[in-house]
mmCIF file of all heavy atoms in Angstrom:
data_model
loop_
_atom_site.group_PDB
_atom_site.id
_atom_site.type_symbol
_atom_site.label_atom_id
_atom_site.label_comp_id
_atom_site.label_asym_id
_atom_site.label_seq_id
_atom_site.Cartn_x
_atom_site.Cartn_y
_atom_site.Cartn_z
ATOM 1 N N ARG A 6 6.201 73.389 -12.586
ATOM 2 C CA ARG A 6 7.252 73.839 -13.492
ATOM 3 C C ARG A 6 6.688 74.932 -14.392
ATOM 4 O O ARG A 6 6.541 74.765 -15.582
ATOM 5 C CB ARG A 6 7.764 72.684 -14.343
ATOM 6 C CG ARG A 6 8.450 71.630 -13.528
ATOM 7 C CD ARG A 6 9.141 70.613 -14.363
ATOM 8 N NE ARG A 6 8.440 70.305 -15.618
ATOM 9 C CZ ARG A 6 8.763 69.308 -16.405
ATOM 10 N NH1 ARG A 6 9.739 68.509 -16.090
ATOM 11 N NH2 ARG A 6 8.120 69.094 -17.517
ATOM 12 N N HIS A 7 6.359 76.056 -13.816
ATOM 13 C CA HIS A 7 5.805 77.146 -14.618
ATOM 14 C C HIS A 7 6.926 77.864 -15.345
ATOM 15 O O HIS A 7 8.071 77.895 -14.926
ATOM 16 C CB HIS A 7 4.985 78.111 -13.762
ATOM 17 C CG HIS A 7 5.750 78.725 -12.642
ATOM 18 N ND1 HIS A 7 6.467 79.867 -12.801
ATOM 19 C CD2 HIS A 7 5.933 78.316 -11.360
ATOM 20 C CE1 HIS A 7 7.055 80.158 -11.658
ATOM 21 N NE2 HIS A 7 6.758 79.237 -10.773
ATOM 22 N N ARG A 8 6.561 78.465 -16.483
ATOM 23 C CA ARG A 8 7.546 79.131 -17.328
ATOM 24 C C ARG A 8 7.808 80.556 -16.884
ATOM 25 O O ARG A 8 8.852 81.108 -17.117
ATOM 26 C CB ARG A 8 7.069 79.118 -18.772
ATOM 27 C CG ARG A 8 7.021 77.707 -19.325
ATOM 28 C CD ARG A 8 6.368 77.691 -20.654
ATOM 29 N NE ARG A 8 4.919 77.682 -20.442
ATOM 30 C CZ ARG A 8 4.037 77.377 -21.349
ATOM 31 N NH1 ARG A 8 4.417 77.087 -22.560
ATOM 32 N NH2 ARG A 8 2.752 77.371 -21.080
ATOM 33 N N GLY A 9 6.831 81.180 -16.291
ATOM 34 C CA GLY A 9 6.963 82.560 -15.852
ATOM 35 C C GLY A 9 5.779 82.910 -14.969
ATOM 36 O O GLY A 9 4.871 82.106 -14.805
ATOM 37 N N PRO A 10 5.760 84.095 -14.416
ATOM 38 C CA PRO A 10 4.709 84.461 -13.468
ATOM 39 C C PRO A 10 3.306 84.520 -14.073
ATOM 40 O O PRO A 10 2.323 84.383 -13.362
ATOM 41 C CB PRO A 10 5.135 85.836 -12.961
ATOM 42 C CG PRO A 10 6.100 86.337 -13.972
ATOM 43 C CD PRO A 10 6.730 85.150 -14.609
ATOM 44 N N ASP A 11 3.207 84.687 -15.389
ATOM 45 C CA ASP A 11 1.888 84.781 -16.013
ATOM 46 C C ASP A 11 1.569 83.588 -16.899
ATOM 47 O O ASP A 11 0.664 83.639 -17.718
ATOM 48 C CB ASP A 11 1.793 86.064 -16.845
ATOM 49 C CG ASP A 11 1.915 87.303 -15.985
ATOM 50 O OD1 ASP A 11 1.412 87.283 -14.845
ATOM 51 O OD2 ASP A 11 2.541 88.276 -16.443
ATOM 52 N N GLU A 12 2.306 82.513 -16.749
ATOM 53 C CA GLU A 12 2.092 81.338 -17.586
ATOM 54 C C GLU A 12 1.905 80.100 -16.711
ATOM 55 O O GLU A 12 2.420 80.019 -15.608
ATOM 56 C CB GLU A 12 3.288 81.134 -18.510
ATOM 57 C CG GLU A 12 3.486 82.299 -19.469
ATOM 58 C CD GLU A 12 4.612 82.039 -20.431
ATOM 59 O OE1 GLU A 12 4.728 80.902 -20.911
ATOM 60 O OE2 GLU A 12 5.359 82.978 -20.694
ATOM 61 N N PRO A 13 1.174 79.111 -17.241
ATOM 62 C CA PRO A 13 0.966 77.879 -16.467
ATOM 63 C C PRO A 13 2.212 76.997 -16.493
ATOM 64 O O PRO A 13 3.140 77.228 -17.272
ATOM 65 C CB PRO A 13 -0.178 77.203 -17.222
ATOM 66 C CG PRO A 13 0.028 77.625 -18.641
ATOM 67 C CD PRO A 13 0.510 79.057 -18.543
ATOM 68 N N CYS A 14 2.214 75.988 -15.678
ATOM 69 C CA CYS A 14 3.289 75.002 -15.708
ATOM 70 C C CYS A 14 3.312 74.338 -17.082
ATOM 71 O O CYS A 14 2.263 74.153 -17.704
ATOM 72 C CB CYS A 14 3.079 73.953 -14.623
ATOM 73 S SG CYS A 14 3.189 74.621 -12.950
ATOM 74 N N ARG A 15 4.494 73.973 -17.536
ATOM 75 C CA ARG A 15 4.677 73.439 -18.897
ATOM 76 C C ARG A 15 3.783 72.249 -19.205
ATOM 77 O O ARG A 15 3.232 72.145 -20.290
ATOM 78 C CB ARG A 15 6.121 73.022 -19.099
ATOM 79 C CG ARG A 15 7.053 74.166 -19.143
ATOM 80 C CD ARG A 15 8.475 73.698 -19.347
ATOM 81 N NE ARG A 15 9.338 74.863 -19.254
ATOM 82 C CZ ARG A 15 10.488 74.888 -18.669
ATOM 83 N NH1 ARG A 15 10.981 73.799 -18.133
ATOM 84 N NH2 ARG A 15 11.189 75.992 -18.617
ATOM 85 N N HIS A 16 3.679 71.344 -18.283
ATOM 86 C CA HIS A 16 2.954 70.105 -18.544
ATOM 87 C C HIS A 16 1.445 70.224 -18.307
ATOM 88 O O HIS A 16 0.721 69.265 -18.498
ATOM 89 C CB HIS A 16 3.527 68.978 -17.680
ATOM 90 C CG HIS A 16 3.305 69.171 -16.221
ATOM 91 N ND1 HIS A 16 3.960 70.155 -15.491
ATOM 92 C CD2 HIS A 16 2.499 68.533 -15.349
ATOM 93 C CE1 HIS A 16 3.563 70.090 -14.243
ATOM 94 N NE2 HIS A 16 2.682 69.118 -14.129
ATOM 95 N N MET A 17 0.972 71.410 -17.939
ATOM 96 C CA MET A 17 -0.439 71.548 -17.564
ATOM 97 C C MET A 17 -1.310 72.266 -18.595
ATOM 98 O O MET A 17 -2.530 72.186 -18.516
ATOM 99 C CB MET A 17 -0.548 72.295 -16.228
ATOM 100 C CG MET A 17 0.017 71.537 -15.058
ATOM 101 S SD MET A 17 -0.758 69.926 -14.811
ATOM 102 C CE MET A 17 -2.426 70.412 -14.421
ATOM 103 N N GLU A 18 -0.744 72.947 -19.545
ATOM 104 C CA GLU A 18 -1.541 73.789 -20.447
ATOM 105 C C GLU A 18 -2.647 73.004 -21.156
ATOM 106 O O GLU A 18 -3.802 73.421 -21.186
ATOM 107 C CB GLU A 18 -0.642 74.485 -21.458
ATOM 108 C CG GLU A 18 -1.371 75.580 -22.190
ATOM 109 C CD GLU A 18 -0.434 76.477 -22.972
ATOM 110 O OE1 GLU A 18 0.801 76.407 -22.784
ATOM 111 O OE2 GLU A 18 -0.950 77.249 -23.775
ATOM 112 N N GLY A 19 -2.328 71.861 -21.718
ATOM 113 C CA GLY A 19 -3.342 71.040 -22.392
ATOM 114 C C GLY A 19 -4.417 70.556 -21.437
ATOM 115 O O GLY A 19 -5.612 70.569 -21.766
ATOM 116 N N ARG A 20 -4.009 70.146 -20.258
ATOM 117 C CA ARG A 20 -4.977 69.676 -19.261
ATOM 118 C C ARG A 20 -5.892 70.815 -18.812
ATOM 119 O O ARG A 20 -7.090 70.619 -18.604
ATOM 120 C CB ARG A 20 -4.230 69.084 -18.064
ATOM 121 C CG ARG A 20 -3.523 67.799 -18.366
ATOM 122 C CD ARG A 20 -2.711 67.334 -17.147
ATOM 123 N NE ARG A 20 -2.038 66.079 -17.405
ATOM 124 C CZ ARG A 20 -0.762 65.974 -17.741
ATOM 125 N NH1 ARG A 20 -0.017 67.057 -17.875
ATOM 126 N NH2 ARG A 20 -0.227 64.792 -17.952
ATOM 127 N N LEU A 21 -5.322 71.998 -18.656
ATOM 128 C CA LEU A 21 -6.126 73.153 -18.245
ATOM 129 C C LEU A 21 -7.143 73.516 -19.322
ATOM 130 O O LEU A 21 -8.274 73.903 -19.009
ATOM 131 C CB LEU A 21 -5.217 74.340 -17.925
ATOM 132 C CG LEU A 21 -4.331 74.150 -16.699
ATOM 133 C CD1 LEU A 21 -3.260 75.232 -16.640
ATOM 134 C CD2 LEU A 21 -5.151 74.126 -15.431
ATOM 135 N N ASN A 22 -6.762 73.366 -20.587
ATOM 136 C CA ASN A 22 -7.716 73.598 -21.669
ATOM 137 C C ASN A 22 -8.880 72.618 -21.599
ATOM 138 O O ASN A 22 -10.033 72.993 -21.804
ATOM 139 C CB ASN A 22 -7.018 73.488 -23.032
ATOM 140 C CG ASN A 22 -6.246 74.736 -23.377
ATOM 141 O OD1 ASN A 22 -6.821 75.805 -23.446
ATOM 142 N ND2 ASN A 22 -4.957 74.592 -23.584
ATOM 143 N N LEU A 23 -8.569 71.355 -21.304
ATOM 144 C CA LEU A 23 -9.624 70.349 -21.176
ATOM 145 C C LEU A 23 -10.572 70.664 -20.022
ATOM 146 O O LEU A 23 -11.789 70.510 -20.136
ATOM 147 C CB LEU A 23 -9.020 68.958 -20.979
ATOM 148 C CG LEU A 23 -8.268 68.372 -22.167
ATOM 149 C CD1 LEU A 23 -7.572 67.074 -21.765
ATOM 150 C CD2 LEU A 23 -9.211 68.143 -23.334
#
Side-chain angles (χ1 to χ4, degrees):
R6 295 189 325 190
H7 58 88
R8 294 172 278 196
D11 297 324
E12 298 184 41
C14 295
R15 291 180 185 140
H16 66 290
M17 294 302 296
E18 193 168 348
R20 291 176 179 99
L21 293 168
N22 281 301
L23 292 173

